[in-house]
Amino acid sequence: MTRFVIISVVVVAAFAAAAVVEARVGPIDVAPTNLITNPLGAIIDNGRKITGAVVDECAWTCDHVAAGNKKMCNTLRKLPGVSSPKELLTAAVKLSMRKAKAARARFEAAARAAEKGTPMESILDTCKEGYDSTVSALQEVQRCIDANDSKASLITKMSAATTFTGDCGNAYEERELEPSLALKATKNNVNRVVTGALAIAAKLKL
């Protein structure tokens, strides 16, 4: 009996001491051991995302395109007014149209200066027509963007644009001829930006 009384007194004293400590320092908030915070600030519960940080979808897109397209993508996403995937793709399409229109003008001028009836004149005409078709396809892409069309439709029309940009290179290859250094640079530049626009479209979360 005496032992029971002593134990009871000790337990009561322990609870009283704990109450005094809590009164002095406030309640101790122990975080659940199954919650962690990832580098983005998202709370994870045993691997399940509970609350997520805001994700920059433009940056995410540029992180996930192929290495050769990252520089163009990151340059475009930093432009004023580009704050959404839709605006990012619009910027890429507009850049591609400018490059394709400039290429068309250069190849048209070269075709006028070429000797009539020669294989080179035919190649240059093919290039001019190919860039005409590229511009038309890109205009279709922009209409899809403005109409909030499906991603599948965007990809289809962007793929058509890349096909048309290849017409010029194919024309040279078929005749086993090479463009001048200036025209080659123009051709490669159009291929690069249009391919980059397609890569961006493929990764967009619309």
Side-chain angles (χ1 to χ4, degrees):
M1 180 67 178
T2 302
R3 181 180 298 179
F4 176 77
V5 171
I6 292 173
I7 292 174
S8 299
V9 170
V10 171
V11 172
V12 171
F15 275 108
V20 170
V21 171
E22 182 173 344
R24 289 179 178 177
V25 301
I28 300 173
D29 184 12
V30 180
T33 56
N34 63 336
L35 295 183
I36 60 172
T37 304
N38 71 9
L40 292 178
I43 303 301
I44 307 299
D45 177 7
N46 290 333
R48 294 181 295 111
K49 190 171 183 179
I50 305 175
T51 58
V54 175
V55 176
D56 183 338
E57 292 186 350
C58 291
W60 184 95
T61 300
C62 293
D63 285 342
H64 287 77
V65 297
N69 302 310
K70 287 185 186 294
K71 183 177 180 180
M72 170 182 159
C73 187
N74 281 309
T75 298
L76 292 174
R77 78 177 179 84
K78 294 174 184 176
L79 292 175
V82 176
S83 59
S84 70
K86 181 178 177 180
E87 291 164 347
L88 177 63
L89 181 57
T90 293
V93 170
K94 287 182 177 179
L95 173 64
S96 297
M97 279 196 281
R98 287 199 303 270
K99 297 293 185 180
K101 287 178 181 178
R104 182 202 180 284
R106 288 171 186 168
F107 278 93
E108 183 179 29
R112 286 197 302 266
E115 186 178 346
K116 303 302 178 185
T118 62
M120 186 56 72
E121 182 192 29
S122 176
I123 291 171
L124 295 170
D125 280 336
T126 298
C127 290
K128 179 193 70 174
E129 292 168 3
Y131 293 128
D132 259 340
S133 297
T134 300
V135 171
S136 296
L138 290 169
Q139 289 171 338
E140 284 293 319
V141 173
Q142 188 57 55
R143 279 192 278 272
C144 284
I145 296 172
D146 294 339
N148 294 316
D149 209 340
S150 68
K151 182 175 178 178
S153 182
L154 286 173
I155 297 298
T156 297
K157 294 184 185 303
M158 275 302 317
S159 296
T162 60
T163 299
F164 291 131
T165 62
D167 290 349
C168 188
N170 292 339
Y172 277 104
E173 290 177 8
E174 287 170 2
R175 299 298 182 95
E176 297 183 348
L177 294 171
E178 287 287 334
S180 66
L181 290 178
L183 291 180
K184 184 175 183 179
T186 297
K187 176 176 70 68
N188 291 344
N189 200 18
V190 176
N191 290 348
R192 178 181 62 83
V193 297
V194 176
T195 299
L198 175 59
I200 290 170
K203 295 297 180 181
L204 286 189
K205 293 181 177 181
L206 296 177

